[in-house]
Amino acid sequence: MNLLFCNKPVGIKSVFRKLRMTGASVLLMLALSPASLAVSTGNNLPDIGTAGLSALTLEKERVIGDLSMRQIRGSYPLVHDPVLQEHLETVGYRIVTATKNPIHPFKFFWVNETSINAFAFFGGHIGVHVGLYLYADTESQIASVVAHEIAHVNQRHLARRIESQMQNQPATIGAALGSIILAVIAPQAGIAALQTTLGVSQQMTINFTRKNEAEADRIGMQALVAAGYDPYAAADFFEKMAAQYRYVSTPPAFLLTHPIPESRVADAELRAQQFPRKAYPVSVDFEFAKARIEARYSGKTAKIMEVEFERRIKKKETSFEDSAIYGLALAQFDAGNAKKARATIKPLLTKYPRNLFVIDAITDIDMSTGNQQAAEARLADIYGYMPNNQVITLNYANILIQQNKTNEAVDILNRFRVKNPENMVALNLLSDAYQKQGNTAMHYSAMADRLALMLQYDQAITMLERALRATPDDNNIEIVKLEAKVRQFRNELARLKAM
C-alpha cells in the first residue's frame, strides 16, 4: 500500500532543545569501543538485566521510552510503510522470542535516512535506518545488528550508565544525558559533547562503554543463533563495513556510534567459530524489502531506479532475480506506468501468491488500473485467515474506503487498533473513513489521537474540542468519551510542562 508519510525533519538543535525541555527522550548511545576485549564463547553470562534500578526503574524507563517515541514521531523523518514494518517486526520479534527473559515489550520502527545506522533507547524501542538495508547482503546481517541492540536494552546498559555517572559526577549528569541524546541524533556532535561534558571522567565512561559493548556482542550472538540466523553474519557485516570505510575521512553515522576496530571483527569471528559453517536459505522477504527500499527510499527517482533494475535483470547482476523484478515493478508503478508494472509483477504473483510484498504491490496496481473489485476480493479472502496482519488489514480498509464502504472499513480499523493503538497509518485511514462518512466528530477524534502520538497535545486538545462541537447534544455517550479524552490529554500536557 502506497500510504507512506514522513514527518518533516527539523533542525538538530531544535530537536535537542525539545527533547531536553520535555525531559522525555534520553536515547541510548551505543558507541562500540575500539579497545581489544577477551572473547567469551561460553553461556555463563551475567544476569544483569535488572541492574541500574536505583537510577531508573523499569516502569519509569517505559514511561520515558513512550514519551521519547512520541517526540521522535513528531520530529524524525519516519517511514510508515506497512509491508516494511511487518518485515522489520518479524525479524525483531523472532530475535526477542529467542532471548532469555526480555524486560520490555519491544517496538521497532523505520527512520527514513539512507545513512547506515540503528539505535535503541528506553522502553525497548529499536530504530533502523533504511540505509542499513541498502548496505546489508543478508537478513542474518540485519538480524545481527538488531540482536545487538536488543541485548543493550535487556541488559539495561543505559540505566547502568546513568547510575555509574551519578555515582562519579552527579553535578554533570544532566549535561551528560543531553549529550547522549545528541549522540544518537548527530553522532559527531554528540561524541564531542560527551568528551567535553565528562572531562576527567571520560576514561571511566569509555571503559564502561567497552564493557557494555562486549556484553551486548556476546548476548546478541546467542540470541542470533537461537533465532536460527547465521552466527557468521556479524563478523561478515563488520568486516565489510570496516574494509569499505577504513580510509574514509568522514565515516557513516553507524561507525561514529558503532566503531569497528579489527579486534571487534576478530572477536565476532571467534565467537562464530564455535558453530559449524552451513548454508542458510535466501530470505525472500529480506530481498524484497531491500528492493523496496532501493526503489522508494534511496533518494533516487523512480525513472532512475527503473533503468537500474532493468540493467540488473538484463545483465544478470543480481543474486536473486525475483527481487530485481519486484523492484522494477515498483519503480514502473511509481513512474506512472501501472499497466507495465502489472505485466512485470505477474510472474511473481503466480510464484508467491501469499507473499505480503507482492500482495501489497498488486493491490496498488489494481487500484490504479480500475481493478478495485478484484483487489477487494483477493484481500477479503486473505483477511479471513490473517485478520490481524497490518499489510492485509490496512490495504483492505483502504480499498473499502475508496469504494465508499466506509462502515466496513471503520469496523475493520477499530478492531485492528485494539491491538495496534499506535499505528499511524491506521489512524490516517480511520480519519479518512470518518470524513467520507460525514462523521465530523470522529474524524477530528482520530486526528487528535494521531497528534497525541506525536506528543502534540495542544493540537490534539484543539481537535477534540472541535469534535465536541460537532457531536449532537443527545449523543451523551460520545460526549462523555470525548470529554474524558480531553481531560486525559490535558493531564499529560501538564505533566510534560512540569518536568
Side-chain angles (χ1 to χ4, degrees):
M1 177 171 56
N2 195 17
L3 285 177
L4 163 73
F5 59 93
C6 293
N7 297 313
K8 182 179 179 181
V10 298
I12 293 298
K13 291 183 179 179
S14 175
V15 175
F16 180 45
R17 182 164 53 251
K18 289 180 181 178
L19 293 173
R20 294 195 65 179
M21 284 176 64
T22 63
S25 293
V26 181
L27 304 182
L28 175 55
M29 185 183 84
L30 304 174
L32 301 185
S33 165
S36 175
L37 289 158
V39 178
S40 170
T41 58
N43 293 323
N44 297 321
L45 296 171
D47 181 13
I48 50 178
T50 57
L53 291 178
S54 64
L56 187 69
T57 66
L58 286 173
E59 182 180 357
K60 287 181 180 178
E61 183 178 343
R62 287 174 187 143
V63 170
I64 293 175
D66 174 69
L67 292 173
S68 301
M69 191 65 237
R70 291 172 188 264
Q71 178 67 63
I72 286 172
R73 289 192 196 101
S75 303
Y76 260 37
L78 301 187
V79 173
H80 301 279
D81 184 319
V83 70
L84 284 178
Q85 185 64 28
E86 183 73 19
H87 167 69
L88 180 60
E89 289 177 0
T90 299
V91 174
Y93 293 137
R94 177 175 165 182
I95 297 169
V96 170
T97 302
T99 62
K100 296 180 179 179
N101 303 317
I103 65 173
H104 292 296
F106 281 81
K107 297 178 182 180
F108 303 89
F109 63 97
W110 289 96
V111 180
N112 192 22
E113 293 283 356
T114 56
S115 55
I116 305 164
N117 210 358
F119 57 92
F121 63 93
F122 282 137
H125 293 83
I126 308 287
V128 174
H129 287 207
V130 294
L132 195 67
Y133 269 66
L134 295 175
Y135 189 85
D137 295 321
T138 66
E139 185 172 292
S140 287
Q141 290 181 1
I142 294 293
S144 70
V145 176
V146 175
H148 181 90
E149 306 297 336
I150 289 172
H152 273 296
V153 174
N154 280 335
Q155 295 305 108
R156 303 212 65 204
H157 284 157
L158 181 54
R160 290 160 57 199
R161 184 174 183 183
I162 293 172
E163 186 173 56
S164 175
Q165 191 65 29
M166 290 175 67
Q167 292 171 355
N168 288 274
Q169 270 191 305
T172 64
I173 184 62
L177 294 182
S179 299
I180 292 172
I181 295 171
L182 191 58
V184 174
I185 299 172
Q188 287 178 308
I191 291 171
L194 274 173
Q195 292 174 347
T196 301
T197 300
L198 299 179
V200 296
S201 68
Q202 181 179 344
Q203 188 59 48
M204 177 276 296
T205 301
I206 291 173
N207 292 336
F208 188 70
T209 300
R210 288 172 182 171
K211 179 182 177 182
N212 289 353
E213 297 310 319
E215 189 172 80
D217 278 349
R218 294 194 301 271
I219 296 175
M221 175 70 77
Q222 290 181 6
L224 188 71
V225 174
Y229 286 110
D230 184 0
Y232 290 85
D236 292 344
F237 184 76
F238 293 152
E239 189 170 14
K240 177 183 177 181
M241 180 83 72
Q244 182 163 343
Y245 292 99
R246 184 170 289 126
Y247 305 109
V248 176
S249 58
T250 305
F254 186 86
L255 290 184
L256 289 169
T257 52
H258 300 67
I260 304 174
E262 292 181 1
S263 61
R264 178 166 170 74
V265 177
D267 290 352
E269 288 177 345
L270 285 174
R271 291 190 185 96
Q273 284 173 10
Q274 66 182 304
F275 307 100
R277 277 269 192 187
K278 66 177 184 179
Y280 286 80
V282 172
S283 168
V284 175
D285 281 356
F286 166 78
E287 297 293 343
F288 284 169
K290 183 170 181 175
R292 187 180 184 91
I293 288 170
E294 284 187 283
R296 289 186 168 167
Y297 308 107
S298 65
K300 298 177 182 178
T301 66
K303 286 290 186 183
I304 290 175
M305 290 312 304
E306 184 177 356
V307 172
E308 172 62 19
F309 285 121
E310 285 176 340
R311 183 187 63 79
R312 293 181 195 175
I313 295 169
K314 182 178 180 180
K315 296 188 175 183
K316 299 187 182 301
E317 294 181 357
T318 174
S319 59
F320 188 69
E321 186 174 352
D322 287 348
S323 65
I325 293 172
Y326 172 74
L328 175 60
L330 292 185
Q332 290 169 337
F333 177 80
D334 293 344
N337 197 333
K339 290 184 179 179
K340 197 173 182 180
R342 173 182 291 281
T344 299
I345 206 168
K346 186 177 179 180
L348 298 185
L349 185 60
T350 301
K351 191 173 182 179
Y352 309 101
R354 299 296 188 187
N355 183 276
L356 295 176
F357 285 88
V358 177
I359 291 170
D360 179 88
I362 194 64
T363 299
D364 282 349
I365 293 169
D366 280 339
M367 292 183 66
S368 180
T369 56
N371 293 305
Q372 290 93 339
Q373 291 183 346
E376 181 185 345
R378 183 189 304 112
L379 289 169
D381 175 55
I382 302 174
Y383 181 77
Y385 66 89
M386 297 178 68
N388 294 317
N389 181 274
Q390 61 186 302
V391 179
I392 301 304
T393 299
L394 298 176
N395 271 291
Y396 188 28
N398 187 38
I399 285 182
L400 291 173
I401 293 169
Q402 299 305 316
Q403 301 213 104
N404 295 315
K405 298 179 180 180
T406 53
N407 290 339
E408 292 178 59
V410 166
D411 288 343
I412 287 172
L413 290 168
N414 278 325
R415 284 198 298 270
F416 177 76
R417 286 201 66 225
V418 171
K419 292 186 176 181
N420 303 274
E422 297 179 358
N423 191 290
M424 300 289 277
V425 176
L427 275 171
N428 270 13
L429 288 172
L430 194 58
S431 176
D432 291 345
Y434 282 132
Q435 187 174 39
K436 206 163 189 177
Q437 274 185 342
N439 192 336
T440 305
M442 294 307 295
H443 164 66
Y444 284 134
S445 180
M447 290 179 65
D449 287 342
R450 182 177 178 273
L451 288 165
L453 286 176
M454 296 188 291
L455 211 64
Q456 297 174 11
Y457 287 117
D458 276 329
Q459 297 93 318
I461 292 168
T462 298
M463 288 295 116
L464 290 176
E465 289 171 344
R466 292 180 183 177
L468 280 167
R469 288 195 293 270
T471 303
D473 293 338
D474 59 352
N475 193 343
N476 293 326
I477 294 177
E478 197 57 45
I479 289 173
V480 169
K481 289 180 180 178
L482 290 170
E483 288 177 340
K485 192 180 289 188
V486 170
R487 288 194 297 272
Q488 176 191 345
F489 287 175
R490 282 177 176 162
N491 288 338
E492 291 293 334
L493 183 60
R495 183 162 65 110
L496 287 175
K497 290 180 177 179
M499 285 183 173

